[in-house]
């Protein structure tokens, strides 16, 4: 009986950059028969088959013509996951047929990759199970995932600085306490990626902004906090159930005495924190 792959926590930005991990590239200690799970590998060396994500469900469409099929978009502080569920995922399909957008949700599923032609890659999740959660659970997932990703970034940075590659690099990482799977993954990833430092830098910045957005008033002065609360309340008033045109919202806030840069900062924080989303381009709407 095959062991079920552990569902990994991963941010959307890293997940979207995953590529297929060929069986020939895997360690000889791993089974590589026809029943082996299809694995993906991220630019940081994370090897995954199943994922566990928590974020804001911002889009949901029924796309099945002959049979039931749902397509969803789940946003986290770094980007968005594309999710599908059909007749072979009955629990997830039932969930999507009843949930209302927007909502904080948790989801477990299998990673899928589709490459119709060289250079054109689509990454998605085939949902297995999904549930509505609250903002506190979403925030905890962000913090936990950030901690795991930062640990991976640190191991990746050590690998870059070492100058080693291949088996020598794997042994170097193992000696420094890196798990066997991650050591192997980093070794493989560095053989593939031409610009590893740039991706690591971008991911660090995304995580930093995401964590900051979870409590964007924590270090504000009283005056700045008041302005941000005013902008938030104005968004509630103008947005209603359908959202509001971003340009109109900014113009209105500025006309009421709030500096444009403050308005833009608040909106960026809300978007990164999953408290606000864009149902359509140029339209912003609060969650809840």
């Amino acid at each position: 009986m095959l062991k079920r792959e552990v569902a990994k926590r991963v941010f959307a930005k890293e997940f979207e950059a995953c590529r297929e991990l060929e069986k020939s590239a895997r360690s000889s200690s791993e089974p590589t028969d026809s029943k082996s799970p299809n694995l993906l590998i991220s630019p940081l060396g994370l090897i995954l088959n199943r994922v566990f994500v928590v974020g804001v469900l911002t889009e949901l469409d029924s796309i099945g013509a002959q049979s039931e099929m749902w397509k969803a978009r789940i946003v986290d502080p770094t980007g968005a996951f594309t999710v599908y569920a059909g007749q072979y995922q009955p629990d997830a399909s039932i969930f999507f047929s009843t949930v209302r957008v927007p909502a904080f949700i948790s989801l477990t599923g299998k990673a899928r990759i589709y490459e119709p032609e060289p250079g054109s890659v689509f990454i998605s999740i085939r949902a297995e199970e999904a549930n509505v959660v609250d903002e506190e659970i979403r925030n905890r997932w962000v913090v936990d995932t950030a901690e795991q990703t930062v640990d991976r970034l640190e191991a990746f940075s050590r690998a870059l600085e070492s100058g080693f590659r291949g088996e020598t690099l794997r042994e170097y990482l193992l000696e420094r306490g890196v798990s066997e799977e991650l050591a192997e993954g980093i070794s493989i990833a560095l053989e593939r990626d031409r610009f590893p430092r740039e991706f690591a830098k971008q991911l660090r910045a995304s995580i930093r902004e995401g964590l900051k957005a979870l409590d964007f008033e924590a270090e504000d002065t009283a005056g700045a906090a008041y302005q941000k609360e005013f902008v938030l309340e104005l968004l509630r008033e103008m947005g209603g159930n359908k959202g509001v045109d971003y340009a109109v919202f900014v113009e209105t806030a500025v006309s009421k005495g709030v500096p444009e840069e403050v308005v833009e900062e608040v909106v960026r924080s809300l978007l990164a924190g999953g408290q606000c989303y864009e149902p359509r381009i140029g339209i912003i709407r609060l969650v809840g």
Side-chain angles (χ1 to χ4, degrees), residues 227-235 237-238 244-267 284:
Q227 287 183 325
K228 289 184 176 181
E229 183 59 35
F230 178 84
V231 172
L232 186 57
E233 187 58 35
L234 182 63
L235 184 54
E237 292 177 4
M238 295 183 65
V244 61
D245 182 276
Y246 178 69
V248 172
F249 174 72
V250 172
E251 183 179 350
T252 302
V254 171
S255 71
K256 293 180 180 294
V258 183
E260 184 174 347
E261 59 270 19
V262 173
V263 181
E264 293 176 346
E265 179 188 349
V266 174
V267 173
I284 54 175

Side-chain angles (χ1 to χ4, degrees), residues 52-57 74-75 95 99 102-107 130-143 214 273-275 287-288:
F52 169 65
V53 303
V54 182
V56 181
L57 176 66
I74 301 174
V75 174
F95 171 81
V99 69
F104 290 107
I105 74 168
S106 65
L107 182 138
N131 295 282
V132 172
V133 298
D134 58 27
E135 186 175 0
E136 183 178 351
I137 291 177
R138 190 288 309 268
N139 291 351
R140 172 46 53 190
W141 179 88
V142 171
V143 172
L214 295 184
Q275 297 161 286
V287 173

Side-chain angles (χ1 to χ4, degrees), residues 104-119:
F104 290 107
I105 74 168
S106 65
L107 182 138
T108 303
K110 287 189 176 181
R112 289 288 182 263
I113 184 168
Y114 173 56
E115 188 171 1
E117 58 186 48

Side-chain angles (χ1 to χ4, degrees), residues 9 11 54 77 136-151 207 210-212 214-215:
R9 294 168 183 256
F11 283 123
V54 182
E136 183 178 351
I137 291 177
R138 190 288 309 268
N139 291 351
R140 172 46 53 190
W141 179 88
V142 171
V143 172
D144 290 345
T145 304
E147 290 175 349
Q148 293 182 19
T149 307
V150 169
D151 287 344
I207 293 172
L211 291 174
K212 180 181 177 182
L214 295 184
D215 187 17

